[in-house]
Amino acid sequence: AEVLYKAMKGLGTDEDAILQLLTARSNAQRQEIKAAYKTLHGKDLVDNLMSELGGKFESLIATLMTPPIMYEVTCLRDAIKGAGTDEKVLVEILASRSPNEHNDDLEEDVTGDTGGHFKRMLVVLLQASRQQGIQEDLIQSDAQALFVAGEQKYGTDEGQFITILGNRSNAHLRRVFEEYRRLSGYEIEESIQRETSGTLQEVLLAVVKCARSVPGYFADSLYGAMKGAGTDDQTLIRIMVSRSEVDMLDIRAEFRKRFATSLHKMIQGDTSGDYRKALLLLCGVRLVDVCFRVCQLNKFNSSGVM
């Protein structure tokens, strides 16, 4: 809290001190720092940071300072409020995240702002009733049900796809996909692309991708956010922050495996300034080397000199 106060005190702002410190702390620790800052200085740390910073760097720091569940709920609410719905954000968060206690509060919003089979699938994901583990006795029947609901039927029984993909665990679904390929001769993705369309197809394919590999899903999303002209900074910030304490090393490995470059190199080429520095530190997963950090903080004397 003192390091951040001194970084913002007086004329000018020491952005480097801010980004170095905040990217090297877990979210839980950032909340403790925020509370300590309020106690020591009687001010809100986030308000002070926002008044000192700007642009994409400000957005990144604001995201780092938000508790994860609150941030995801905010993203979901922002995706469904106002004119139009940001289906991409809904799909990413609901297809990839574990359930949390806020889902019930969001169901009415999603129900009101989406429609058809897409809405049904989102509601299933929000209800978070996924079975745990692998149900050996259901693998063959699930694969058969998906085959009958799609490739073997004139038209498509979307309800079966929603029920099975929305309610089974990732480990179970991977076994179902193997059995489905043996039974039908197709990958499940091929059948979904033939049998469904639009936003329902997007969410079903996202669920399949996450069942196969959540880090792989996010590696693809990050690549999509940076490839070509321009950068989807909202997606870049959302994923880099939300996954930094979860599976960033796995995402980096998948990124390198799938694309002819590294995540670090792509961020370096697509961003600039303090925004880039902070993202690269998150990419390196600089989350608290406790002994080193405690040692650093203990070097501050009463005059604040390191």
Side-chain angles (χ1 to χ4, degrees), residues 2 5-6 9 299-306:
E2 284 303 303
Y5 180 74
K6 293 175 193 308
K9 189 179 177 183
K299 285 182 183 176
F300 275 82
N301 61 27
S302 57
S303 65
V305 179
M306 210 170 192

Side-chain angles (χ1 to χ4, degrees), residues 109-152:
D109 293 329
V110 172
T111 302
D113 284 82
T114 57
H117 295 299
F118 179 59
K119 177 178 78 175
R120 285 181 60 195
M121 184 62 180
L122 293 183
V123 169
V124 168
L125 294 173
L126 278 163
Q127 288 171 343
S129 56
R130 282 183 181 271
Q131 296 170 352
Q132 300 300 305
I134 299 171
Q135 314 294 316
E136 294 287 349
D137 55 325
L138 291 179
I139 291 170
Q140 193 166 4
S141 61
D142 281 350
Q144 181 67 40
L146 289 171
F147 184 49
V148 170
E151 298 288 354
Q152 217 177 40

Side-chain angles (χ1 to χ4, degrees), residues 209-210 212-223 247-264:
K209 272 189 177 183
C210 289
R212 293 197 187 280
S213 168
V214 172
Y217 172 74
F218 282 111
D220 288 346
S221 297
L222 285 168
Y223 183 77
D247 53 4
M248 185 54 68
L249 291 175
D250 295 328
I251 291 170
R252 283 171 49 189
E254 282 294 327
F255 197 97
R256 185 174 282 280
K257 197 188 303 180
R258 290 162 184 247
F259 309 108
T261 187
S262 68
L263 178 57
H264 188 280

Side-chain angles (χ1 to χ4, degrees), residues 23-271:
T23 58
R25 298 295 185 274
S26 68
N27 193 281
Q29 288 171 318
R30 290 181 209 120
Q31 303 316 312
E32 292 178 2
I33 293 167
K34 181 180 174 182
Y37 191 93
K38 182 75 171 177
T39 301
L40 289 166
H41 302 291
K43 297 176 181 178
D44 185 84
L45 173 57
V46 176
D47 287 347
N48 280 14
L49 286 167
M50 297 307 97
S51 70
E52 297 288 330
L53 308 175
K56 290 175 280 192
F57 181 51
E58 177 188 342
S59 299
L60 176 58
I61 295 299
T63 304
L64 281 169
M65 292 304 301
T66 308
I69 290 175
M70 188 185 299
Y71 177 63
E72 288 186 2
V73 169
T74 300
C75 286
L76 288 168
R77 290 199 186 282
D78 287 346
I80 54 187
K81 76 178 182 184
T85 301
D86 191 341
E87 289 89 357
K88 178 183 169 185
V89 174
L90 294 179
V91 168
E92 178 198 300
I93 293 175
L94 296 180
S96 64
R97 264 49 170 196
S98 299
N100 62 59
E101 65 271 21
H102 289 265
N103 286 347
D104 289 342
D105 299 334
L106 291 163
E107 188 172 329
E108 187 177 341
D109 293 329
V110 172
T111 302
D113 284 82
T114 57
H117 295 299
F118 179 59
K119 177 178 78 175
R120 285 181 60 195
M121 184 62 180
L122 293 183
V123 169
V124 168
L125 294 173
L126 278 163
Q127 288 171 343
S129 56
R130 282 183 181 271
Q131 296 170 352
Q132 300 300 305
I134 299 171
Q135 314 294 316
E136 294 287 349
D137 55 325
L138 291 179
I139 291 170
Q140 193 166 4
S141 61
D142 281 350
Q144 181 67 40
L146 289 171
F147 184 49
V148 170
E151 298 288 354
Q152 217 177 40
K153 181 184 178 70
Y154 181 74
T156 306
D157 182 355
E158 291 89 351
Q160 279 287 17
F161 281 87
I162 291 167
T163 298
I164 294 170
L165 295 180
N167 288 293
R168 306 291 192 261
S169 71
N170 285 348
H172 179 88
L173 287 174
R174 287 194 292 272
R175 294 283 299 280
V176 171
F177 300 158
E178 288 174 15
E179 180 63 21
Y180 184 86
R181 186 178 63 239
R182 189 195 63 77
L183 181 70
S184 68
Y186 301 117
E187 295 290 353
I188 188 68
E189 292 92 336
E190 296 176 84
S191 294
I192 289 172
Q193 285 168 338
R194 272 196 295 270
E195 299 293 329
T196 63
S197 61
T199 51
L200 175 63
Q201 182 183 101
E202 287 175 27
V203 71
L204 292 177
L205 288 173
V207 168
V208 171
K209 272 189 177 183
C210 289
R212 293 197 187 280
S213 168
V214 172
Y217 172 74
F218 282 111
D220 288 346
S221 297
L222 285 168
Y223 183 77
M226 292 184 281
K227 72 175 182 181
T231 303
D232 181 351
D233 291 293
Q234 272 193 325
T235 297
L236 184 57
I237 290 171
R238 188 173 60 248
I239 296 175
M240 292 302 296
V241 173
S242 67
R243 308 310 292 187
S244 63
E245 295 180 55
V246 182
D247 53 4
M248 185 54 68
L249 291 175
D250 295 328
I251 291 170
R252 283 171 49 189
E254 282 294 327
F255 197 97
R256 185 174 282 280
K257 197 188 303 180
R258 290 162 184 247
F259 309 108
T261 187
S262 68
L263 178 57
H264 188 280
K265 191 176 289 185
M266 202 155 181
I267 289 171
Q268 204 162 31
D270 259 62
T271 58

Side-chain angles (χ1 to χ4, degrees), residues 4-20:
L4 292 171
Y5 180 74
K6 293 175 193 308
M8 295 183 282
K9 189 179 177 183
L11 290 173
T13 304
D14 187 348
E15 287 90 351
D16 202 57
I18 292 169
L19 69 89
Q20 290 281 348

